[in-house]
Amino acid sequence: MKILVTGAKGFVGKNLIVELRNQGFEDLMEFDVDTDPNQLDKYARECDFVFHLAGVNRPDNPADFMTGNFGFTSQLLDALKKHHSKAPVLITSSIQAAQNNPYGESKKAGEDLLFDYSKETGSKVYVYRLPNVFGKWCRPNYNSAVATFCNNIAHDLPIQVNDPNVVLNLVYVDDVINSFIAKLKVESPLDLSNRFEEVSPIYTKPLGEIVSLLNQFKYSRSTLQLPDMGDEFVKKLYSTYLSYLPESDFSYPLKMNVDQRGSFTEFLKTNERGQVSVNISKPHIIKGNHWHHTKNEKFLVVSGKGVIRFRKIDLEQIIEYLVSGEKLEVVDIPVGYTHNIENLGDTDMVTIMWVNEVFDKEKPDTYFLKV
């Protein structure tokens, strides 16, 4: 299948191109503002499907809205008609098409043109009135508040929020792309009863909530608190935020609590799923000798070798589990058992430790008792 993508270097176009290639579509004809205009005729003659994503968002002259959004669409459709193409055409419009402004009017004109083209030629058309799209590679300080806020917060630049109660309707770029690519596989006949395609899910969020989340993401490096990845919007927004980090700022240090026994370093914290830490034990060192009422843990030795010992607090029997980085094995630490971990080797032993709750120094639920 030969696929023509206009606006191929734009935000949605870039995401579409890479995912088409991921899914095995290799014969792609990319058209953008710097492409030789004569290529359009060749592409229109050869293509089997058209993703028409090109458009004008912020021209210097408002009259350029109509030229870019209606005029170029007209050129594209004329080229397809010239070669009697039956290639389906998918076009990105905007919810602004329902508004009385130069941008909206130009988008509406492009929609009408495409519907008329379908009636005239019998070709399939898909019109998407997209709300605000967010995700990686969106240009900041252009036409996306999310992109601008992600970029500025990640780069320690100021942001301006005139009204935090303004509500945005948002779709994630990967959801957009998945919906687009699904149209390549449609076998059903053309149905004009549903004139507009939709991307789901649509997230309705106040601007103030989005900014608050982005600030939480920024300071999570010091708090170690992970966002709630069970919330699909939060998960997608966090991925978007990370894509705007300066390349010199991908890494960040952790506070290592070091003593003669080794070190203990907190790594990740969540209110819902506890925290993860990294414990390093020097050779022949014993750590622990305590128990918990409700707090429970999982230990995973990833380097070195050692032993984890347990004793039920009201009994004398000691239970031992040998552990090693050569055989990854998780050991549960049940409540009511005092426990310790000893490095039996001659090198440092590294243990990943998970606990079901974030440490609270006011309620540590930790009681010293030798195994």
Side-chain angles (χ1 to χ4, degrees), residues 58-96:
R58 285 194 173 185
D60 294 330
N61 184 348
D64 291 338
F65 277 126
M66 195 60 73
T67 302
N69 294 326
F70 172 81
F72 180 68
T73 300
S74 180
Q75 293 177 38
L76 171 64
L77 298 182
D78 284 346
L80 292 170
K81 284 191 284 187
K82 172 184 174 182
H83 296 290
H84 307 287
S85 173
K86 293 298 180 181
V89 182
L90 183 152
I91 186 173
T92 50
S93 185
S94 166
I95 55 174
Q96 290 291 317

Side-chain angles (χ1 to χ4, degrees), residues 1-4 27-29 46-50:
M1 179 178 286
K2 295 182 178 181
I3 300 171
L4 168 59
D27 204 344
L28 306 180
M29 297 176 282
E46 297 179 357
C47 68
D48 300 305
F49 196 101
V50 181

